[in-house]
Amino acid sequence: MVLITSVSRRLRTPLFLLISLFITVLTFAQVNLTYRLLNGYTLSSEASVNKNKPTVFVLGETEAFEKVFNPAVTTKRPDALNFTKETAIGIVLPPTTKPPKLSISKVFVQDSVLTVRYIRLADTTLTQHPQSIATQPFLLIAVPKHNFLKTKLVENGKVVQILKRPEED
């Protein structure tokens, strides 16, 4: 009995440190999310976007999604979303006459913060007839539902917006 008490006293501090280290690693763990690009949608004219900087939309319900994005008038059907399993993330850039090339580089959750990293490249192609009508470029992706408190939008390595999840009643 004395031997068990002596061993348990000696192991108490290292065991506590080992458990603390394990919890710390779990807390700071980064979970990469799979995503898929959604095609066949246009931005609604009623969507509220920032004038001079990118805007991020986190849409977890059909009604909210339909207020911001509409099906495009094309022969192809828009990609379907399952809001019981997925959340839609929309990134809308300010209007421009030279639409940039956009691509998602990484989507992950860390410390209850969803981070969407994307790359924006200026379109350097020369055209005979420059576009005179400004278009509003956007990216629309679907990610698996996940609990997160904030959404961080990172463009070319620079944080451009942090959106807090709205309070639920």
Side-chain angles (χ1 to χ4, degrees):
M1 187 69 151
V2 174
L3 179 65
I4 294 174
T5 307
S6 173
V7 169
S8 69
R9 282 186 194 154
R10 289 182 185 195
L11 290 178
R12 190 175 298 157
T13 302
L15 185 63
F16 175 74
L17 291 174
L18 185 63
I19 291 172
S20 299
L21 179 65
F22 181 73
I23 291 172
T24 303
V25 168
L26 282 180
T27 304
F28 293 116
Q30 176 178 307
V31 178
N32 291 328
L33 298 180
T34 58
Y35 64 89
R36 63 185 179 99
L37 287 173
L38 298 174
N39 296 307
Y41 292 97
T42 60
L43 185 66
S44 171
S45 60
E46 298 168 7
S48 64
V49 295
N50 297 328
K51 290 199 181 244
N52 297 322
K53 63 181 186 171
T55 305
V56 64
F57 292 99
V58 179
L59 308 163
E61 298 175 352
T62 305
E63 298 81 26
F65 181 80
E66 290 173 348
K67 288 180 184 176
V68 180
F69 295 100
N70 300 324
V73 183
T74 61
T75 57
K76 188 178 175 186
R77 291 179 81 182
D79 296 334
L81 273 147
N82 182 355
F83 283 106
T84 59
K85 296 179 181 177
E86 297 177 309
T87 301
I89 309 291
I91 302 167
V92 181
L93 301 180
T96 181
T97 56
K98 287 186 173 183
K101 294 179 183 179
L102 302 172
S103 65
I104 299 289
S105 61
K106 192 172 188 180
V107 180
F108 62 92
V109 175
Q110 184 175 5
D111 296 334
S112 298
V113 177
L114 172 70
T115 303
V116 180
R117 298 178 69 93
Y118 70 98
I119 298 169
R120 176 183 184 173
L121 297 173
D123 188 2
T124 58
T125 58
L126 296 173
T127 58
Q128 295 282 338
H129 307 285
Q131 206 176 19
S132 60
I133 299 172
T135 60
Q136 190 129 27
F138 67 91
L139 273 172
L140 184 59
I141 62 171
V143 297
K145 267 214 188 293
H146 209 281
N147 285 332
F148 46 86
L149 302 175
K150 294 179 184 178
T151 303
K152 187 187 319 182
L153 188 60
V154 180
E155 177 184 296
N156 297 345
K158 179 182 172 190
V159 176
V160 291
Q161 186 178 13
I162 297 177
L163 178 71
K164 290 184 181 180
R165 186 172 76 179
E167 297 292 325
E168 297 176 6
D169 295 329

